[in-house]
Amino acid sequence: MVNHGGITFLAEQVCHHPPIGAAHAENEHFTYDLTSKLKTKLLGNSVDIYPVGRTRVTLKKAGVVLDLVPPPTKANNLIFGRTWVDSAGDMIMTNMTTGEKVILNFQPCGWFGAGRYEVDGYVYDAAEEPKILITGKWNKSMSYQPCDIEGEPLPGTELKEVWKVADAPENDKFQYTHFAHKINSLDTAPKKLLASDSRLRPDRYALEKGDLSKAGSEKSSLEEKQRAEKRNRDAKGQKFTPRWFEFSEEIATTPWGELEVYRFNGKYNEHREAADSSDEPSIVDIESTEFNPWQYGNVATE
């Protein structure tokens, strides 16, 4: 996705077994790099989801590197009842350059919804003394206030709102956020779509048009093509190779296990520039353009 407030974002599934995703985002102020692998634990009618991942944000001007560890998530009522998601535990952002950190505690949902969405925590200096308290709800807004060494608000200071969730689009049958709509929109796409751009997926397009039957059949067709590509790859004795990311040879230790770290290889930028400068016409008609992400040619014709 290009030019979301000046940010360009790229993601790729770099490993299928186990599923591992990698992402890179950048603007004039920072770069964002993520490797993500989930660990799950099924608990009857719910599932615990542990984010075995590494997120790094680098501030370009200051040269500061921030490390983010999100809290676990639980999906409830998977088999019966209304499905809902809860996050409980600590989210920790550490300044790898200065030693400062932020620890936010996400409260678990109690009986009758007590405590749901509530978040509290502090910004600590390198000596691990609290300097700023943070409080709010992760689905509404967050506020901050300077505090003393005991974590109490400093006299003469006020609680100030620092973030507020954007209003949801009105009368939206998909109940998407504005951001989700931007991901699907051609308005945030490059001038020329690559054949592998997920905006060209026929199942997504059918779902957007409300044709659930076609969306289901198109999804099954894509999955079968993916299996066909794997058979092709196995027959040739070749391993799956990511396009835009590469294994960094680094193994990161997370609270929930070890993780193979992937890094952006920069090749997408070269590929994008070549596509934009070519004489081929731009892809603007999703309905008539074939989605083709396959590494071994168009398996639909094999």
Side-chain angles (χ1 to χ4, degrees):
M1 184 179 67
V2 299
N3 198 26
H4 173 70
I7 298 172
T8 298
F9 177 87
L10 173 71
E12 180 181 10
Q13 185 169 347
V14 295
C15 181
H16 294 272
H17 301 288
I20 300 177
H24 174 80
E26 189 167 354
N27 69 1
E28 61 179 316
H29 301 294
F30 68 85
T31 60
Y32 164 96
D33 291 283
L34 165 72
T35 302
S36 177
K37 178 176 71 173
L38 297 180
K39 180 179 180 180
T40 60
K41 183 178 181 181
L42 187 61
L43 303 169
N45 195 34
S46 65
V47 61
D48 286 340
I49 304 167
Y50 304 97
V52 185
R54 194 182 80 168
T55 302
R56 292 281 171 88
V57 177
T58 302
L59 306 182
K60 291 182 175 180
K61 294 180 180 179
V64 169
V65 178
L66 307 175
D67 179 85
L68 175 66
V69 179
T73 297
K74 173 174 282 190
N76 300 279
N77 298 341
L78 294 179
I79 302 174
F80 55 86
R82 184 176 181 273
T83 302
W84 60 281
V85 175
D86 191 28
S87 291
D90 288 339
M91 181 172 75
I92 304 173
M93 175 171 276
T94 304
N95 187 323
M96 308 291 289
T97 307
T98 65
E100 298 165 314
K101 66 173 55 177
V102 182
I103 302 179
L104 299 180
N105 182 257
F106 286 59
Q107 299 294 325
C109 180
W111 290 101
F112 307 108
R116 189 177 182 186
Y117 308 122
E118 292 183 3
V119 181
D120 296 288
Y122 294 93
V123 177
Y124 297 88
D125 63 14
E128 299 187 354
E129 294 183 354
K131 293 297 180 180
I132 300 174
L133 67 85
I134 301 177
T135 185
K137 292 188 175 183
W138 58 259
N139 70 327
K140 289 186 177 180
S141 67
M142 297 293 295
S143 300
Y144 76 97
Q145 188 171 3
C147 65
D148 59 24
I149 195 171
E150 302 297 328
E152 297 298 323
L154 288 177
T157 63
E158 297 180 353
L159 193 65
K160 295 183 179 181
E161 187 176 80
V162 68
W163 169 84
K164 182 179 180 181
V165 68
D167 293 332
E170 295 183 1
N171 303 318
D172 181 15
K173 64 180 180 181
F174 298 108
Q175 297 185 358
Y176 282 175
T177 62
H178 288 289
F179 178 74
H181 279 289
K182 279 190 174 184
I183 293 176
N184 290 329
S185 173
L186 286 174
D187 294 336
T188 60
K191 295 179 181 178
K192 295 182 180 180
L193 294 184
L194 303 180
S196 59
D197 195 300
S198 60
R199 275 165 283 225
L200 297 175
R201 279 179 51 168
D203 58 332
R204 281 181 44 166
Y205 185 73
L207 183 63
E208 184 176 349
K209 295 300 181 182
D211 192 339
L212 301 184
S213 177
K214 184 177 182 181
S217 62
E218 291 286 5
K219 180 175 180 293
S220 297
S221 176
L222 285 177
E223 291 169 343
E224 182 51 43
K225 291 176 183 178
Q226 186 180 39
R227 297 186 189 101
E229 185 188 41
K230 184 178 186 303
R231 290 194 295 268
N232 193 336
R233 186 167 59 245
D234 291 344
K236 296 179 180 180
Q238 296 177 336
K239 295 179 63 176
F240 171 80
T241 304
R243 289 184 175 181
W244 316 123
F245 295 84
E246 60 188 23
F247 180 43
S248 67
E249 305 296 333
E250 179 183 357
I251 304 296
T253 301
T254 79
W256 301 283
E258 293 187 336
L259 172 74
E260 306 89 342
V261 177
Y262 286 78
R263 63 188 174 199
F264 179 55
N265 60 21
K267 293 181 180 179
Y268 175 80
N269 295 340
E270 301 172 7
H271 192 77
R272 182 75 262 163
E273 290 175 5
D276 289 339
S277 61
S278 71
D279 295 329
E280 296 181 4
S282 301
I283 298 175
V284 294
D285 187 354
I286 292 180
E287 193 168 17
S288 62
T289 305
E290 185 174 11
F291 177 57
N292 183 18
W294 320 112
Q295 292 196 353
Y296 289 85
N298 190 346
V299 296
T301 61
E302 297 181 0

